[in-house]
Amino acid sequence: MSLGEGTNIIVPKVGMKFQDENEVFEFYKNYAYQIGFPVRKRSSRKDDDGVVRYVTFTCSREGCRLSGTNAIMKPQPTMQTGCKARLTACSELNGIWRINTINLEHNHKTSPSKSRLYRCNREINARVRRRLEINDVAGIPLHKSFNSAVVEAGGYDKITCVEKDCRNFIEKVRRLRLGEGDAVAIQAYFSKMQATSPGFFFNIDLDDEARLRNVFWADNRCRQACKEFGDVVTFDTTYLTNKYEMPFAPFVGVNHHGQSTLLGCGLISNEDTRTFVWLFRTWLQCMHDQAPSGIITDQDRAMQKAIEIVFPNTKHRWCLWHILKKLPEKFGGHGYKASILATVHGLVYDVQSCEEFEQGWNKMLEDYELLEYTWLTGLYNERSRWVPCFSKTSFWAGMSTTQRSEGINAFFDGYVHSKTSLKQFVEQYERALRSKIEKEFQADFKSFSHMVPCATKYEMEKQFQSVYTIAKFKEFQEQFTGKF
């Protein structure tokens, strides 16, 4: 059944309330489908905490195209008619969204029968995508595959895409399947690296149709670094994706200068448990089955399950930076949000015992009437996974996601980006790695040729001065002198 078909038209009205922004948009989109006009998100505004509080959805035919002088005599077709139909909504203090204003008048014709052709309503469902892929591998022309999908759906008016959408989809699949020679080129490149660089390790995972699905690699320096700095590892897939939308998945440690150091990396096609299990097992094999003592990730359930399977004895912790980043949105428009966030921050970073934390947490729930925020209970129950809460040493705290992400950004920025092909990616990775090695060598030289004078006459400070690098001794010295 098409969107909105067979249902009564519910007209938007000022004061209507919804659970979140997405529910507002889906409601307006459903109404637009039944009336027969396209919609889009026009604009939004955020509060001081970066949380979206106000949105405007409009008819997609709003606005006017500005044409240059060369186009005056040859104007091109345009959807834009300057239509003023729109809906605005905002988030109230309790987090509920409310429609503020609504304009239902259009300056153009509308037609429900044509709604399925507007881009905002078109999508290829999973069943059709799979059929298109199978037929393409079998050599069946696309127009025949599309006609088959139309017949199976029960007619053109029952299918949620047009032939052009299917053609674009297949072209993208072919690029991924063939990788424009990337899969073969990567294997040849890695084989060359393995022959010329002792200790170079790689593994390529192909699917049943011989398409590149996942890839992992690490040079000998990464493998040696893992022996020294692989006790605590951070793992994140949010830094960037390549041109085929394959997330970059680096394993990162911190070296003796406090610098981020790469311990191997992969490109993956999915972020499900099966993929993470393959990647973690491959990394473990590469690192001579030396599992880390601890691993820090965001709150990804598929990742958590894979860690339990591959690293059963490894302490898995969630990055506190990710958790705290979500809190402003979670508290919505609570009147004491700023005070709540400050209290949580103090509990996390300043308490010295579990008992003190629990007392402060319960007091916060009572003072700010937060008992109705049921998600807080789940967060509290998982508090043992937070980093660095309840940790009295820098063992975990020194591995914050902020530090790690900044390090990885600085590591790869200028070398790879979202349009980088697979082969280009691994080649640029080598260049980035050489640059990182040089920076570490320079830090080694500085610690070799320079010295930070002791600030006190205590023998303990001299002992740390003699064995620590400059970066780490300065961290110790700041904490040591702060005790006085």
Side-chain angles (χ1 to χ4, degrees):
M1 179 180 292
S2 300
L3 179 65
E5 184 179 332
T7 60
N8 295 325
I9 299 178
I10 302 178
V11 180
K13 295 179 181 179
V14 172
M16 283 184 168
K17 296 184 177 182
F18 304 85
Q19 290 297 315
D20 52 42
E21 176 191 343
N22 288 336
E23 190 173 295
V24 179
F25 181 65
E26 289 303 318
F27 167 75
Y28 190 49
K29 183 180 175 182
N30 186 66
Y31 165 77
Y33 194 102
Q34 297 174 88
I35 299 298
F37 66 94
V39 296
R40 66 186 178 92
K41 184 176 181 178
R42 178 66 176 83
S43 62
S44 63
R45 288 207 302 265
K46 298 180 179 180
D47 61 14
D48 294 338
D49 296 318
V51 179
V52 175
R53 295 296 182 198
Y54 183 91
V55 294
T56 299
F57 302 117
T58 69
C59 171
S60 296
R61 305 194 68 174
E62 65 108 19
C64 296
R65 174 180 293 180
L66 299 177
S67 301
T69 55
N70 294 334
I72 293 178
M73 301 305 295
K74 295 182 179 181
Q76 298 297 312
T78 178
M79 284 185 61
Q80 296 170 312
T81 64
C83 182
K84 301 297 184 182
R86 64 184 56 210
L87 175 154
T88 66
C90 69
S91 174
E92 298 183 331
L93 293 178
N94 59 3
I96 298 297
W97 281 78
R98 177 183 183 276
I99 294 180
N100 286 343
T101 63
I102 184 75
N103 182 351
L104 303 178
E105 299 299 322
H106 298 266
N107 67 354
H108 55 86
K109 295 180 180 179
T110 60
S111 174
S113 65
K114 297 180 176 61
S115 289
R116 65 182 179 83
L117 297 178
Y118 287 123
R119 186 176 298 277
C120 62
N121 298 321
R122 285 170 14 210
E123 64 176 352
I124 308 175
N125 64 46
R127 182 184 180 89
V128 173
R129 285 200 303 269
R130 182 59 180 163
R131 177 66 61 83
L132 290 172
E133 287 191 63
I134 293 174
N135 289 354
D136 185 58
V137 173
I140 299 174
L142 185 133
H143 72 276
K144 291 186 177 181
S145 296
F146 180 71
N147 289 340
S148 176
V150 171
V151 172
E152 187 175 355
Y156 285 99
D157 60 328
K158 298 295 192 298
I159 196 167
T160 58
C161 61
V162 297
E163 186 172 343
K164 182 179 179 181
D165 299 328
C166 296
R167 192 170 301 279
N168 291 338
F169 169 73
I170 285 299
E171 288 178 355
K172 180 179 179 180
V173 167
R174 286 171 179 169
R175 287 197 302 270
L176 180 56
R177 182 165 59 236
L178 300 176
E180 297 180 354
D182 275 340
V184 175
I186 282 179
Q187 190 149 8
Y189 180 79
F190 282 162
S191 296
K192 177 184 176 182
M193 290 295 295
Q194 204 168 49
T196 58
S197 303
F200 187 90
F201 179 99
F202 75 94
N203 193 6
I204 295 178
D205 178 35
L206 303 177
D207 64 14
D208 295 336
E209 299 174 6
R211 288 183 297 188
L212 189 148
R213 184 161 53 189
N214 307 299
V215 59
F216 171 86
W217 73 98
D219 67 2
N220 191 55
R221 185 173 181 84
C222 291
R223 301 178 77 181
Q224 294 304 316
C226 193
K227 293 180 180 180
E228 300 293 332
F229 312 117
D231 51 345
V232 180
V233 175
T234 61
F235 179 77
D236 190 5
T237 60
T238 61
Y239 170 57
L240 61 79
T241 59
N242 71 354
K243 66 183 291 186
Y244 302 125
E245 299 182 0
M246 296 177 71
F248 177 50
F251 294 85
V252 181
V254 172
N255 68 13
H256 52 308
H257 297 293
Q259 300 170 325
S260 297
T261 184
L262 206 59
L263 308 176
C265 61
L267 288 164
I268 56 178
S269 58
N270 287 292
E271 294 183 83
D272 55 15
T273 299
R274 191 211 71 83
T275 300
F276 287 130
V277 166
W278 177 88
L279 186 63
F280 293 157
R281 282 177 174 165
T282 301
W283 182 78
L284 192 59
Q285 177 188 357
C286 173
M287 300 307 170
H288 309 289
D289 291 324
Q290 178 184 326
S293 300
I295 186 168
I296 302 172
T297 72
D298 63 8
Q299 294 167 274
D300 185 288
R301 296 297 180 181
M303 200 181 294
Q304 177 181 342
K305 188 174 181 180
I307 290 171
E308 292 171 354
I309 294 172
V310 183
F311 305 124
N313 299 317
T314 296
K315 293 181 180 178
H316 179 205
R317 296 293 181 263
W318 288 337
C319 175
L320 188 58
W321 182 84
H322 268 123
I323 296 174
L324 294 181
K325 185 180 179 181
K326 297 175 183 176
L327 292 187
E329 182 177 357
K330 289 286 189 179
F331 282 116
H334 196 289
Y336 295 99
K337 181 174 68 175
S339 298
I340 294 172
L341 296 178
T343 302
V344 172
H345 192 276
L347 289 172
V348 167
Y349 288 107
D350 298 336
V351 300
Q352 297 298 314
S353 67
C354 291
E355 292 75 16
E356 184 182 353
F357 177 89
E358 290 171 354
Q359 291 174 3
W361 183 275
N362 291 328
K363 186 175 186 301
M364 177 186 72
L365 295 181
E366 295 176 2
D367 290 350
Y368 299 109
E369 300 180 352
L370 298 176
L371 294 175
E372 64 184 67
Y373 287 72
T374 55
W375 60 268
L376 276 171
T377 302
L379 180 61
Y380 174 80
N381 290 338
E382 292 285 355
R383 67 193 184 281
S384 62
R385 286 193 181 275
W386 302 359
V387 179
C389 190
F390 306 139
S391 174
K392 297 182 180 180
T393 72
S394 60
F395 180 74
W396 295 104
M399 290 285 288
S400 71
T401 294
T402 305
Q403 174 190 10
R404 179 270 315 274
S405 296
E406 288 174 355
I408 291 300
N409 274 286
F411 195 120
F412 289 102
D413 281 352
Y415 291 93
V416 295
H417 49 80
S418 61
K419 301 300 181 183
T420 303
S421 71
L422 299 183
K423 183 173 181 293
Q424 290 172 332
F425 197 106
V426 295
E427 290 175 342
Q428 291 293 76
Y429 157 85
E430 291 299 323
R431 296 187 179 95
L433 189 60
R434 286 196 292 269
S435 173
K436 189 70 173 179
I437 291 172
E438 174 61 19
K439 290 179 180 178
E440 183 176 324
F441 183 77
Q442 291 176 7
D444 283 337
F445 170 76
K446 185 174 182 180
S447 292
F448 173 80
S449 60
H450 292 69
M451 178 188 67
V452 176
C454 288
T456 72
K457 296 185 181 297
Y458 287 94
E459 188 64 28
M460 183 171 69
E461 186 184 9
K462 292 181 180 180
Q463 292 176 352
F464 280 98
Q465 181 197 46
S466 65
V467 296
Y468 270 17
T469 62
I470 285 179
K472 286 300 172 183
F473 177 65
K474 289 172 72 173
E475 288 182 16
F476 161 78
Q477 191 178 62
E478 182 179 349
Q479 295 181 21
F480 188 66
T481 55
K483 295 297 182 181
F484 296 94

